[in-house]
Amino acid sequence: MPEPQLSHDPLTQTPDGRLSRRKLLAASAGAAAAIGAVGLPVLGTAAPALGAAKAGSDPDAGSSNLRVAPLIPEQNRGIILYSVRDRISAAPDDSGVPYGFERVLARLAEIGYKEIEFAGFTQSTEILGRQITPAEIRKILDDNGLVANGCHVTINPSTFQQQLDIAETLGMKNLGTGSAPTNSAYKSDWDAAADIWNELGRQARSRGMRLYTHNHDAEYNFLIDSGPRNAAGQQTRSSGIRRLEYFFGQTDPRYVFFEMDIYWAYVARFRHQKFINPNGVEKTSLFDPILTVADRSRRFPLFHAKDGARRPDLTNGHEMTPFGEGDINFQQFFQTIGERHFRSANWEMDTAPGGNENRGQSLAIAAQSYQNLSDLTIYLPK
């Protein structure tokens, strides 16, 4: 993957690489028509020109006061273990491919990953003759210089303190779930979920952690919150607000946080474009992943850096790929949202495991994706 470079504009880019609101709007998908009219790249499209200087120009001209830095700082490059779940859960075998927490985490550290997001805390009992404990996992992390930055567990008030105990043992700053706060389209259900999450988020904060939820595409579909009611008494139309964005406003920013899965956010942009407004008129609204983050920046400490190739023939409009092999413009995404030292980018690819026919596939793709993630760069003042 060629090293991408961006020109530095001191009028629109702040010292930490965050783009100003003026530049942000120019880059946003919501401004697609306007920026397309003046020939600028539209959000969500591949941008091969990002690394290219203008024809005939000196690529080093005016850059004496700049330095090249990683767009994703080394200490913030992570992986969710769901991507290599086949090897975490594997029983001992003679394939030579690492299995279980001790061997797989050692390999991920060798690749270069610094942060781990968990997708469960169990492995094959054939490895130790029993189940591994959170304390034993913590030792493996420490031995390999790894940090647990989050997890995907079931968020349930009755077991929440137990999950906090595990997270505390593992040294996590964030405790989360891969499920939506509610699968409902209705406002009342999101209100009820917000009440629960505000309380659980308060409990997490009291123990030094942030509670977060991870999105798929449905959470960015439109809320059903207006219009005539059906026979069950439910409203049937939408004001145009999206479900998770409504949840942003109903939850306390001190207690409830979010992990954007960037792939699923672009799937949402493809799939959820139209709604019926309170007057019964079909309206079009394009979802903008970049502005969704930028408008509430500190509520997104975690991301899933999951790539995808555009496939309009598929239901989701995209097909998952190793990081750097798809069409999502991560250079634009991460540079525009800024605050690069605040955010953790966890690589994920749901389809990485290769099964018994290719047991090493998921770890091989993890290595390829790490390299491409680390190749993203930014110009900063010296």
Side-chain angles (χ1 to χ4, degrees):
M1 178 177 178
E3 179 174 286
Q5 296 178 347
L6 291 176
S7 61
H8 178 82
D9 180 354
L11 296 178
T12 56
Q13 189 171 325
T14 58
D16 73 343
R18 180 180 172 82
L19 301 193
S20 72
R21 185 69 178 177
R22 177 161 66 90
K23 194 74 169 181
L24 184 85
L25 290 173
S28 85
I35 66 178
V38 296
L40 294 175
V42 176
L43 178 72
T45 62
L50 280 173
K54 292 182 180 179
S57 67
D58 179 354
D60 295 321
S63 63
S64 60
N65 294 322
L66 301 177
R67 60 184 174 87
V68 176
L71 183 56
I72 309 298
E74 182 179 10
Q75 68 271 19
N76 291 11
R77 298 174 203 154
I79 177 174
I80 181 168
L81 295 183
Y82 185 73
S83 302
V84 292
R85 61 193 180 279
D86 57 325
R87 299 316 301 170
I88 292 291
S89 63
D93 59 46
D94 58 2
S95 67
V97 181
Y99 57 83
F101 281 110
E102 183 174 13
R103 292 166 178 80
V104 172
L105 291 182
R107 174 56 184 146
L108 294 175
E110 184 178 69
I111 289 170
Y113 288 102
K114 298 298 185 185
E115 296 193 329
I116 300 295
E117 185 179 25
F118 286 83
F121 308 110
T122 61
Q123 63 180 15
S124 170
T125 55
E126 293 182 38
I127 297 174
L128 296 175
R130 56 172 173 80
Q131 193 49 257
I132 195 169
T133 67
E136 289 170 327
I137 297 174
R138 174 62 184 272
K139 185 177 186 304
I140 295 169
L141 290 170
D142 293 345
D143 288 349
N144 288 281
L146 297 169
V147 174
N149 69 14
C151 60
H152 282 193
V153 298
T154 299
I155 300 299
N156 186 323
S158 66
T159 59
F160 192 64
Q161 286 298 320
Q162 295 168 297
Q163 294 294 350
L164 288 172
D165 290 342
I166 295 172
E168 190 172 80
T169 298
L170 292 170
M172 289 181 190
K173 294 180 180 178
N174 309 286
L175 172 66
T177 179
S179 302
T182 173
N183 293 319
S184 173
Y186 298 104
K187 179 175 176 289
S188 60
D189 293 321
W190 285 91
D191 286 337
D195 289 341
I196 294 171
W197 276 68
N198 279 330
E199 171 54 26
L200 296 183
R202 185 193 62 76
Q203 294 178 29
R205 180 174 176 174
S206 72
R207 295 181 62 172
M209 283 175 263
R210 292 178 290 224
L211 174 63
Y212 70 94
T213 182
H214 162 281
N215 68 277
H216 294 86
D217 69 288
E219 291 91 313
Y220 285 115
N221 201 349
F222 298 98
L223 193 70
I224 303 300
D225 60 348
S226 60
R229 297 183 182 272
N230 59 23
Q234 298 168 322
Q235 291 178 301
T236 56
R237 297 173 185 170
S238 179
S239 65
I241 190 170
R242 296 176 187 273
R243 301 172 192 178
L244 199 58
E245 292 186 330
Y246 176 74
F247 193 69
F248 294 156
Q250 299 307 111
T251 50
D252 192 320
R254 297 173 297 174
Y255 303 145
V256 180
F257 297 85
F258 302 90
E259 173 183 65
M260 178 176 277
D261 186 304
I262 301 170
Y263 170 89
W264 287 114
Y266 281 96
V267 171
R269 176 172 167 81
F270 175 83
R271 294 190 64 182
H272 307 306
Q273 299 184 6
K274 297 182 183 297
F275 65 95
I276 304 300
N277 78 359
N279 296 322
V281 179
E282 183 178 83
K283 296 289 186 180
T284 298
S285 175
L286 294 182
F287 175 59
D288 191 328
I290 285 182
L291 288 186
T292 291
V293 174
D295 282 347
R296 50 192 65 82
S297 182
R298 300 291 291 189
R299 299 193 76 178
F300 284 87
L302 300 169
F303 292 85
H304 274 188
K306 182 190 299 180
D307 208 349
R310 282 191 297 277
R311 286 283 307 275
D313 56 309
L314 299 180
T315 299
N316 289 331
H318 301 77
E319 184 174 36
M320 292 181 195
T321 68
F323 187 90
E325 299 299 317
D327 297 309
I328 296 175
N329 190 339
F330 289 98
Q331 177 78 38
Q332 183 187 42
F333 184 95
F334 283 114
Q335 180 163 339
T336 305
I337 63 172
E339 298 195 70
R340 45 195 278 276
H341 289 286
F342 171 65
R343 311 183 191 286
S344 294
N346 293 325
W347 171 69
E348 183 182 35
M349 182 177 170
D350 302 13
T351 55
N356 289 332
E357 293 183 1
N358 190 350
R359 295 176 182 178
Q361 178 173 293
S362 62
L363 286 170
I365 296 176
Q368 174 189 2
S369 294
Y370 178 84
Q371 184 59 57
N372 288 340
L373 187 67
S374 62
D375 281 345
L376 295 174
T377 57
I378 187 172
Y379 281 140
L380 297 175
K382 288 183 178 177

